[in-house]
Amino acid sequence: MAEGAWPGERLIASAQGGDLESIAALVSGSHPHVRRFARTLCASPEDAEDAAQEALIILYRKIGTLRASGALASWMFRIVRNECLRRARLRPPHYDDVPDAGTVSAEDEVLQRLEAGRVAAAIAALPADQRNVLIMRDIQGYSGRMVADALGLSVPAMKSRLHRARASVQQALQGALDSVSGEGDD
């Protein structure tokens, strides 16, 4: 397996067939990717580590349910995202999560949270094919070739989806700004 690449089709197929060595190699080969993704999504490093471990356990237990071997990356990202969201809902707020009052004003903190919420909502509203490309390319930082390969797309198709996703997010954010500032009101 090439450095930085997801496990290959043959290994995935063997794991789907129940070969224990292949399953172990698949889990091991997926771990760095799953961990990196969890770190970008979860609220804390501890939650990220727990979410990554949970995702790998699910991979181990349910690899046979994966329909297309080329969909491993997007399947794992969905599992990690859901696990991070679950942990965030269960996690009570802590006072040490809030920056010192001297560093960020309460108003700035609220504005940052609102903006992050708007971006997250705009990304969540994208069609799944565009959302997966955007997350892998812009949030995860994978190369265009890696994203295309992981999702079973040609590079031009991946670029097209990425362009549409970015334009949709930008349009959604601009629309939210316009409605807040009162533009377009008569």
Side-chain angles (χ1 to χ4, degrees):
M1 176 169 40
E3 183 68 27
W6 278 87
E9 303 260 341
R10 247 191 232 152
L11 180 64
I12 295 169
S14 294
Q16 286 174 305
D19 180 62
L20 292 179
E21 275 186 38
S22 297
I23 293 171
L26 180 64
V27 169
S28 175
S30 300
H31 185 251
H33 304 288
V34 168
R35 194 175 191 198
R36 189 177 319 110
F37 189 63
R39 284 183 184 154
T40 64
L41 287 179
C42 288
S44 72
E46 295 80 19
D47 282 351
E49 208 47 53
D50 290 346
Q53 290 301 318
E54 186 63 31
L56 293 171
I57 290 167
I58 291 169
L59 172 63
Y60 180 80
R61 288 182 182 158
K62 297 189 175 188
I63 184 59
T65 66
L66 179 65
R67 288 188 202 118
S69 57
L72 176 67
S74 59
W75 186 54
M76 291 307 299
F77 288 151
R78 260 192 322 277
I79 292 169
V80 170
R81 182 192 68 216
N82 291 341
E83 187 60 25
C84 288
L85 290 172
R86 187 184 72 77
R87 290 179 180 284
R89 283 192 297 270
L90 296 175
R91 187 173 185 243
H94 291 85
Y95 290 109
D96 56 353
D97 289 343
V98 179
D100 281 348
T103 0
V104 177
S105 73
E107 181 181 352
D108 286 342
E109 184 180 339
V110 168
L111 290 173
Q112 287 172 355
R113 286 185 182 174
L114 284 172
E115 184 61 22
R118 283 189 196 112
V119 171
I123 292 171
L126 291 171
D129 61 335
Q130 291 179 23
R131 185 175 52 246
N132 290 340
V133 169
L134 181 80
I135 288 171
M136 291 177 74
R137 186 73 177 100
D138 290 351
I139 296 173
Q140 289 304 116
Y142 289 113
S143 70
R145 167 59 60 200
M146 284 182 73
V147 173
D149 289 348
L151 297 176
L153 301 169
S154 66
V155 172
M158 182 280 305
K159 286 181 177 180
S160 175
R161 286 183 188 180
L162 181 61
H163 175 74
R164 286 194 308 269
R166 287 174 176 165
S168 294
V169 168
Q170 185 177 13
Q171 186 176 13
L173 294 175
Q174 187 59 49
L177 267 178
D178 290 348
S179 67
V180 168
S181 67
E183 283 185 27
D185 293 345
D186 290 334

